[in-house]
Amino acid sequence: MKLKPLQDKIVVKPDTRVLSTVLIVENKEKDNMGTVIAVGPGKVINGRRQEMPVAVGDYVRFGTMGADEYLKYFEYFEDGERYLVMSWQDVCFAQENPHV
């Protein structure tokens, strides 16, 4: 990956949702889970670098972008893959990766 996050930013590869092939489903849900691909070094506050509470490989649930929501992230595309760049503070929690 060419993208290197700075400060408290992380890069997440969102889960690919599998929609039904039997029924026509209109999926309006936003991405809210994925795997951490890259982690910045953390912010420097009062001369000390804050430790990042998430690490590469963590499976996380995060807030979504919406008109009434304050959590924001932006999309980044590299080699046809979609990634989300966000602050680690937008992560609600980390859990055991169900895909491993």
Side-chain angles (χ1 to χ4, degrees):
M1 168 174 279
K2 300 172 190 168
L3 188 68
K4 179 181 175 183
L6 302 175
Q7 302 259 347
D8 69 336
K9 301 298 186 237
I10 62 173
V11 179
V12 174
K13 174 74 174 125
D15 273 354
T16 303
R17 297 195 178 171
V18 179
L19 301 178
S20 172
T21 57
V22 176
L23 301 173
I24 298 174
V25 177
E26 185 175 334
N27 185 8
K28 294 184 178 183
E29 291 183 19
K30 303 283 187 183
D31 294 316
N32 67 351
M33 294 190 312
T35 304
V36 177
I37 302 300
V39 176
K43 282 187 178 180
V44 175
I45 298 178
N46 297 328
R48 301 193 72 192
R49 187 168 302 279
Q50 286 185 321
E51 185 177 332
M52 294 291 282
V54 295
V56 172
D58 285 354
Y59 189 71
V60 296
R61 182 176 295 264
F62 48 88
T64 58
M65 295 186 338
D68 299 335
E69 298 181 76
Y70 68 96
L71 301 174
K72 303 289 183 220
Y73 55 80
F74 69 90
E75 295 179 314
Y76 171 77
F77 293 90
E78 184 177 300
D79 299 328
E81 293 289 328
R82 181 172 164 258
Y83 301 95
L84 305 175
V85 180
M86 65 186 73
S87 169
W88 74 262
Q89 295 175 353
D90 292 340
V91 171
C92 300
F93 59 86
Q95 65 187 45
E96 187 173 315
N97 192 334
H99 305 297
V100 178

